[in-house]
Amino acid sequence: MSRKPAARNTPRAGTLLPGSGPVLVGILNVTPDSFSDGGDFFDPESAARRAAVMLDEGAAIIDVGGESTRPGSDPVSQEEEIQRVIPVIERILAVRPEAVISIDTYRAETAAAALEAGARLVNDVTALRGDPRMASVVAEAGCPVVLMHMKGEPKTMQEEPRYEDVVREVRDFLAQRAEVAVAAGLRPENVIVDPGIGFGKNLEHNLALLRDLDALVDLGFPVLVGASRKRFIGTITGVEEARERVFGTVATTVLAYQKGAKYFRVHDVRANRDALAIAEAVLRA
Ligand code: HH2
């Protein structure tokens, strides 16, 4: 199948969404220390190969990240982050010009460089709080942005996170960040919200957020869920090795889809795609 190369730097939300069904976002960590795939795709060539596999398996978007945000991780410098991700974005687009690429960063300069290199979406785990210039970069690009909830910072966020009512607090936070984003000039249809599974949340918090995901869907923005291979899946199933947590991940995907989530940020595209195909068929029958 030959497709025309996607126009660079002319992002529209509609171009990201082929149809109204669920959207798979394939994870591509260009880091030496990510919790489940650190070091696997560190050079542009192997990263682009991995991206191609995920696209062929059904990913509509490839989320490229140059800094691990796993619990306990240390930040990298902006220069280092840019050096990691830009050659990878360029290489993916050289071999797969139609690929829709998202940049997983909270730094405005990294986002701007990635958009310039052809990325079409920004995934900001700080929901525009990490860098005061991020909102204007995203607003100027006119591109979609993922606003994720995180309590604390990756280094310390898992040290006894506390909430009175985790679902209400996450929902209120996302509503407030969406308001900030729109006030900064983002189009409301370009806002995607994400509960931030595992980001300053214990097992009970993660489960409550997945159980009550419809409360976030009710905000009116598409919801992204990133539960893939995360620790709480290992806690429940007893699967210690992160890359072996695919079956548990698939369960979260199906449940989240049933609750109304739209985007699924996953490592194992094929397994999640098949599960979503069945879930979609049943729910639409
Ligand atoms: N999770 C991770 C990273 N980025 N972005 C969004 N929007 N939602 C998430 O849940 C999310 C995210 C952490 O997972 P991973 O990228 O696999 O690991 P690491 O941070 O160690 O690179």
Side-chain angles (χ1 to χ4, degrees):
M1 192 175 67
S2 77
R3 276 158 75 180
K4 276 181 39 191
R8 300 277 175 93
N9 283 332
T10 52
R12 294 189 309 277
T15 59
L16 299 178
L17 306 177
S20 58
V23 177
L24 281 162
V25 180
I27 301 172
L28 188 59
N29 287 315
V30 194
T31 61
D33 59 340
S34 287
F35 79 95
S36 82
D37 57 355
D40 288 358
F41 316 111
F42 203 44
D43 69 284
E45 211 45 60
S46 58
R49 267 201 303 275
R50 176 68 189 148
V53 168
M54 290 195 287
L55 290 168
D56 290 340
E57 288 181 346
I61 300 172
I62 301 295
D63 190 34
V64 178
E67 176 180 304
S68 172
T69 45
R70 74 183 195 290
S73 60
D74 286 310
V76 297
S77 72
Q78 172 154 297
E79 294 69 34
E80 174 72 23
E81 187 186 30
I82 288 179
Q83 270 166 26
R84 287 179 183 179
V85 296
I86 300 303
V88 167
I89 294 171
E90 287 172 348
R91 188 71 201 131
I92 296 171
L93 290 174
V95 289
R96 299 294 289 261
E98 80 284 7
V100 175
I101 295 178
S102 151
I103 175 69
D104 184 352
T105 187
Y106 53 85
R107 294 190 182 92
E109 212 168 300
T110 306
L115 291 164
E116 182 62 33
R120 292 201 261 161
L121 189 107
V122 174
N123 174 20
D124 183 350
V125 298
T126 70
L128 309 178
R129 294 173 303 156
D131 186 330
R133 288 162 304 154
M134 183 63 114
S136 60
V137 165
V138 178
E140 264 169 45
C143 68
V145 64
V146 179
L147 304 175
M148 195 195 81
H149 176 273
M150 166 162 47
K151 188 159 184 144
E153 308 179 345
K155 188 81 190 159
T156 52
M157 65 191 177
Q158 290 306 98
E159 291 168 9
E160 287 202 48
R162 278 170 209 268
Y163 300 83
E164 261 181 30
D165 178 338
V166 66
V167 176
R168 181 174 48 75
E169 289 174 44
V170 169
R171 189 196 56 210
D172 290 352
F173 170 88
L174 293 174
Q176 189 259 337
R177 295 315 297 166
E179 240 177 69
V180 168
V182 172
L186 273 91
R187 295 207 303 273
E189 65 269 28
N190 276 342
V191 173
I192 298 164
V193 297
D194 177 349
I197 298 296
F199 283 86
K201 283 133 195 141
N202 63 23
L203 174 63
E204 196 187 310
H205 301 141
N206 290 322
L207 295 180
L209 285 164
L210 288 169
R211 182 197 61 210
D212 292 343
L213 205 64
D214 36 350
L216 305 186
V217 173
D218 285 347
L219 288 172
F221 300 101
V223 171
L224 181 148
V225 172
S228 190
R229 298 183 182 174
K230 284 187 178 168
R231 172 164 302 279
F232 81 101
I233 294 174
T235 306
I236 294 170
T237 59
V239 179
E240 268 303 309
E241 185 60 46
R243 53 184 91 219
E244 300 291 324
R245 293 177 187 152
V246 56
F247 304 117
T249 299
V250 162
T252 66
T253 296
V254 171
L255 287 163
Y257 176 63
Q258 194 159 20
K259 293 274 178 186
K262 169 90 186 164
Y263 295 88
F264 304 87
R265 183 180 179 277
V266 297
H267 302 84
D268 306 287
V269 174
R270 168 93 203 277
N272 286 283
R273 182 204 62 188
D274 284 1
L276 280 170
I278 300 296
E280 212 186 347
V282 171
L283 292 176
R284 288 189 178 178

